[in-house]
Amino acid sequence: MAGQLWPVLLASAVGLLPYTVFSTFLVPIADATGGGEAAVGGLRGLGGLAALAVGTAFAPLIGRLPVHLSAAGALLLLAASALLGAAGTYVTVAAFCVLVGAATAVLNPALTTAAADRYGDGPAAARAATLVTATQSMTAMLAAPLIAVPALWWGWRGDLVATAVVATALATMFLRRGRGPAVPAARLGYLATFRALATVPGARALLLVALLRTAAFMGYLAYLAAFYDSRFDLSPGWFAFVWTLSGASFFLGNLVTGRLANTGDDGRPRRLLLVGLAVAVAATFGVFLAPTLPVALLCTAALGASHAVVAACVVSLLVRRCGAQRGPALSLNAAGMSLGVFVGATAGGIGLGAGGYPGAAVALAGLTVVALVAAGLARSA
C-alpha cells in the first residue's frame, strides 16, 4: 500500500516541513526580521487561525473538486509561502505563517481523501487514510534533525527554498497523474454538504472527539518541557529524548492502529477508540503526578500511543461512515484539530495557574473525559 501511495505520503511529509523549519530556526529567523523571538514566534498562531478558517470554509468544496487538483493547488501555495518566508522580513514571515496554515488546511484532508479514494469504500480505504496520518506523525518526529543537517551548508533560507522546489515538483506530479476518485464525489450545494454530514451516524460526535483529543494532547505538549525541567531538572538536551519517545509512541500507535482497526466492520475501531481515550485519561494523571522519572517516561509513552490510537480510529470511522462525504468530513476534522491547539494551550494554562501541574492534569484529563463521553455517543449512533 505504501508503494502505491508514495506520492501522497511524500506530499504529506513535505506539508510539515515549513513550520518545522520555522520552529527549529526561530532564533535566526527572528534575528533576520528584527522582530524578536516572542513577536516572531507568536506569528505561528496566525497560521492556526488561517487553518481553522480555510479548513471550515473549504470543507464542502473537497467533495466537489477533484482531490488531485486540490492537493496540487495547496502544494503550489505551500511553495509560494516557503519562498516568501525565505525573504526574511517580518511582513513576509507573517505572510508565510498565514499561507502555510491555509495551504495545509487544504492539503492534509485532500491527501487523506486521495489515499482513501484509491481503495474505494471500506476497511482498506480507512487503512490508507491512517497511513497518511502515520506518515505525518513520523515526519513530525524526524523532520527537525533532517532539516538541520543541510542547513549547515545553505542555512534556514536554503531549507525553505528546497521545500518550495520539492512542493512544486510534487504539484506537477499530481497534475499529470491525477485521476478520478474511486468513490463518486458528492455534488451537493455548500450548505447541503454540512446538512448531509449531520445525518451521518456519529459524525458530529467523532468531530468533537477529534477537537477535544487534540486540545488535551497539544495542551499537554505545550507544558511538557517545563514539567520535566521543574519536576526532574531535565536539561533541554535530555528532554529531546523525551520528545522523541513521545513522537515515536505516537507514530507506532497510529501505524499499528491503522492496521488493527480496519480488518472488519467498524466495531473494532469503536472499541479501540474508547480504550484509547480511557488510557489517555489515566496516562495524563500518570505523567503529571509521577513520583519518579521512569514512571513519567512510561506514562509519556502510553499517552502518546493512546492519543495516536484515538486519532487513527476517528479517521477510520469518518472514512468508513461518510462515504462520498469523506472529504468534507476530513476537512472539518483538520479544522477542528486546529481549533483544538488553541483550546488545549488555554485549558492547560488555566489549570497550571490554578493548581500547578496537578491542576493542568485535571484540566487536560477533563477534556479527554468529555471526549470519552462523545465517543460513547459515536459508538451508539
Side-chain angles (χ1 to χ4, degrees):
M1 183 176 284
Q4 294 176 325
L5 294 174
W6 73 263
V8 172
L9 300 180
L10 180 58
S12 70
V14 169
L16 294 180
L17 293 182
Y19 276 155
T20 304
V21 173
F22 179 79
S23 299
T24 304
F25 299 102
L26 176 60
V27 174
I29 291 173
D31 290 341
T33 64
E37 294 173 24
V40 175
L43 295 176
R44 174 71 182 268
L46 297 176
L49 294 175
L52 173 62
V54 173
T56 303
F58 190 77
L61 301 180
I62 281 192
R64 306 175 70 183
L65 297 174
V67 288
H68 72 278
L69 292 181
S70 298
L75 285 166
L76 291 175
L77 182 59
L78 196 75
S81 65
L83 293 176
L84 274 175
T89 69
Y90 189 82
V91 173
T92 59
V93 170
F96 159 83
C97 289
V98 171
L99 293 179
V100 170
T104 54
V106 176
L107 180 64
N108 292 338
L111 294 175
T112 310
T113 303
D117 284 354
R118 185 180 181 92
Y119 295 93
D121 206 357
R127 183 185 164 199
T130 59
L131 189 58
V132 175
T133 60
T135 300
Q136 291 171 334
S137 63
M138 180 182 68
T139 303
M141 179 179 63
L142 299 177
L146 289 178
I147 65 173
V149 174
L152 295 175
W153 284 274
W154 58 35
W156 60 270
R157 285 185 171 89
D159 277 346
L160 288 177
V161 172
T163 298
V165 171
V166 175
T168 301
L170 284 169
T172 303
M173 182 180 299
F174 274 96
L175 291 174
R176 288 180 176 178
R177 300 177 59 179
R179 62 188 66 178
V183 177
R187 295 296 178 183
L188 301 176
Y190 195 87
L191 295 178
T193 300
F194 288 113
R195 288 194 293 267
L197 276 176
T199 65
V200 175
R204 286 177 293 184
L206 288 170
L207 293 173
L208 180 59
V209 169
L211 187 157
L212 293 170
R213 181 217 62 84
T214 304
F217 192 54
M218 297 308 292
Y220 150 82
L221 290 179
Y223 301 101
L224 190 60
F227 165 77
Y228 270 95
D229 176 67
S230 173
R231 181 67 59 84
F232 302 111
D233 196 26
L234 215 60
S235 67
W238 282 106
F239 178 73
F241 167 76
V242 178
W243 193 263
T244 302
L245 174 66
S246 178
S249 300
F250 193 95
F251 165 66
L252 291 174
N254 202 320
L255 183 66
V256 172
T257 302
R259 180 180 293 271
L260 291 179
N262 295 297
T263 57
D265 60 25
D266 66 5
R268 178 172 290 184
R270 290 200 309 268
R271 292 190 294 271
L272 287 173
L273 178 65
L274 296 173
V275 171
L277 286 166
V279 172
V281 172
T284 301
F285 285 109
V287 171
F288 287 117
L289 302 180
T292 63
L293 179 60
V295 173
L297 293 174
L298 179 63
C299 292
T300 292
L303 190 57
S306 62
H307 274 277
V309 169
V310 176
C313 288
V314 167
V315 169
S316 296
L317 289 169
L318 287 175
V319 168
R320 294 171 67 164
R321 290 183 178 185
C322 292
Q325 297 297 327
R326 64 172 53 149
L330 291 171
S331 185
L332 289 177
N333 179 58
M337 290 192 295
S338 296
L339 177 60
V341 173
F342 294 94
V343 173
T346 301
I350 292 173
L352 186 63
Y357 288 108
V362 169
L364 299 174
L367 293 173
T368 314
V369 169
V370 178
L372 183 58
V373 174
L377 297 176
R379 183 185 183 189
S380 61

